[in-house]
Amino acid sequence: MQTSASQQMPVSADPVSADNDALDTLEETARSRGQEVLAIEMEGLRVLQESLGESFIAAVKLLLGCKGRVIVSGLGKSGHVAHKIVATLSSTGSPAIFVHATEAAHGDLGMISRDDVVVLISNSGETSDLVPIMQHLQRLRIPMIGITSGSDSTLARNATVALVLPKAQEACRHAIAPTTSTTMTLALGDALAMAVMDLRGFTRDDFAMLHPGGSIGLRLMKMSEIMHKGERLPLVKLDTPMEDVIVEMTSKTFGIAGVQDESGMLVGVVTDGDLRRNFANIGTAKAKDVMTENPTVIPSSTLAEDALRVLHRSKVTALFVVNDDHGKVGMRAEGLVNVHDFLRLGLS
């Protein structure tokens, strides 16, 4: 008896379905592993947070008392972390530079002065390239902060202050690739930098001076640097007929006009909304009849991110910029900014 082809040949699985199953498995494995790694590293940070004590305070004191620069050095992954710590310290009021651990023994020790404080990073605490640096620091009695996981390591024993990372599981399954330890070191560097920054009284104005470029620089620009001023300002008097007010608003294109009293002080504003609310009387009204008194304004020293916050909170598209001492002598309109100015700068 003959069988049909369908009875003789096994039915193969749907290749599309098999591909989808494999993709689902890949996505689930990737997500699960990623979450596991983050959980391990978060636990490391939690343990680190609980471990901060007298040695951390002593390290902060050394950095605060530094009359020169903070020198940070490390090799390999520790070197990469050191670069980031240097960048954070330098941008928050503590001048810092990176010295390559290997190059130090070939002349770069000359970059370190007696007024400096040196931070050496080594997970094991036994990095041989750091030994010449340690010896140099001891000869010149330069303070040394050691960051290491080795509590009885060469680095920990020779450091002026040893910051010993608590025991924590590396996220690498083979415990070879530095993961949790580098995350903890990076976070510890941030903790040191932020503590020193606050104790120095480092302000947002200080940030602005050190960050003139990039998105941070834009956010920290003062209104005096952004605002429209001079002939660009739409300004009218209290008794200006509304017909002329509308001409001023239209010609200056900001959708707002500032109203000044006889002494030139800003006492109100006329907006597109005011025009709509008083449309029936526009033909006979004057600026003082239509204006909104006590308008929302911003001082000229206001930073861009703060001004943008005021714009959003007030639900307006333009604000007059006034003199910083307006609370004492009255408001003088020094400039004007609108939402398009912030959009042009890439802020929104």
Side-chain angles (χ1 to χ4, degrees):
M1 178 179 173
Q2 292 185 337
T3 58
S4 66
S6 61
Q7 292 174 313
Q8 294 175 353
M9 299 292 293
V11 179
S12 61
D14 183 350
V16 174
S17 176
D19 288 345
N20 288 338
D21 289 343
L23 181 60
D24 290 343
T25 300
L26 183 151
E27 291 178 350
E28 181 56 35
T29 300
R31 184 182 300 108
S32 175
R33 180 59 177 141
Q35 292 172 340
E36 180 185 14
V37 168
L38 294 178
I40 292 171
E41 296 198 352
M42 284 191 291
E43 175 61 17
L45 292 177
R46 185 192 66 77
V47 176
L48 176 64
Q49 179 190 34
E50 294 178 352
S51 74
L52 296 188
E54 292 302 318
S55 59
F56 179 80
I57 296 171
V60 170
K61 288 180 178 179
L62 278 181
L63 294 173
L64 272 173
C66 180
K67 296 179 181 180
R69 298 169 301 181
V70 180
I71 311 295
V72 190
S73 185
L75 198 64
K77 305 295 188 301
S78 295
H80 293 304
V81 172
H83 275 291
K84 197 281 181 181
I85 293 175
V86 163
T88 301
L89 286 168
S90 295
S91 68
T92 55
S94 298
I97 63 170
F98 173 80
V99 171
H100 194 284
T102 302
E103 295 297 328
H106 297 274
D108 282 0
L109 286 175
M111 300 170 69
I112 305 173
S113 76
R114 294 178 185 272
D115 290 332
D116 297 335
V117 171
V118 177
V119 180
L120 300 181
I121 305 172
S122 169
N123 188 35
S124 68
E126 300 295 345
T127 304
S128 59
D129 297 69
L130 295 180
V131 173
I133 303 179
M134 286 189 276
Q135 293 172 340
H136 180 71
L137 300 180
Q138 290 170 335
R139 281 195 299 271
L140 299 182
R141 297 183 179 179
I142 296 173
M144 180 198 329
I145 298 171
I147 301 179
T148 178
S149 295
S151 58
D152 192 37
S153 63
T154 301
L155 177 56
R157 291 195 306 271
N158 286 277
T160 309
V161 176
L163 296 177
V164 180
L165 301 177
K167 298 298 181 183
Q169 176 187 351
E170 294 284 12
C172 172
R173 293 198 189 281
H174 308 293
I176 296 175
T179 47
T180 307
S181 57
T182 49
T183 299
M184 293 166 69
T185 304
L186 189 64
L188 184 56
D190 286 342
L192 288 169
M194 295 302 100
V196 172
M197 180 186 79
D198 289 351
L199 289 167
R200 285 195 195 285
F202 193 81
T203 66
R204 291 208 295 175
D205 284 342
D206 297 321
F207 257 117
M209 287 191 293
L210 296 180
H211 296 80
S215 61
I216 293 179
L218 292 175
R219 285 165 47 204
L220 298 178
M221 289 179 68
K222 294 182 179 180
M223 287 302 95
S224 57
E225 303 173 78
I226 300 173
M227 67 187 187
H228 303 274
K229 51 191 175 183
E231 294 299 320
R232 287 287 292 138
L233 295 185
L235 296 170
V236 298
K237 298 295 184 181
L238 283 164
D239 291 325
T240 301
M242 282 306 300
E243 180 180 347
D244 294 335
V245 174
I246 294 173
V247 170
E248 180 74 358
M249 292 174 66
T250 303
S251 64
K252 300 298 175 62
T253 71
F254 292 116
I256 190 174
V259 183
Q260 297 176 310
D261 63 14
E262 294 76 9
S263 62
M265 295 296 149
L266 185 70
V267 294
V269 295
V270 177
T271 66
D272 289 336
D274 294 321
L275 296 181
R276 289 191 295 272
R277 284 187 289 273
N278 295 274
F279 181 75
N281 304 314
I282 288 295
T284 58
K286 296 182 178 180
K288 63 183 179 182
D289 304 318
V290 176
M291 73 178 189
T292 296
E293 298 183 48
N294 302 314
T296 299
V297 296
I298 48 176
S300 59
S301 61
T302 304
L303 301 181
E305 63 177 1
D306 294 330
L308 186 58
R309 195 175 297 118
V310 174
L311 272 175
H312 289 324
R313 185 173 64 242
S314 303
K315 298 181 180 180
V316 296
T317 58
L319 288 171
F320 273 95
V321 181
V322 300
N323 48 308
D324 287 335
D325 58 353
H326 63 278
K328 296 180 180 179
V329 301
M331 294 193 298
R332 297 188 305 273
E334 296 188 345
L336 182 147
V337 292
N338 70 359
V339 66
H340 297 295
D341 297 319
F342 296 99
L343 293 172
R344 186 178 66 254
L345 292 171
L347 302 174
S348 61

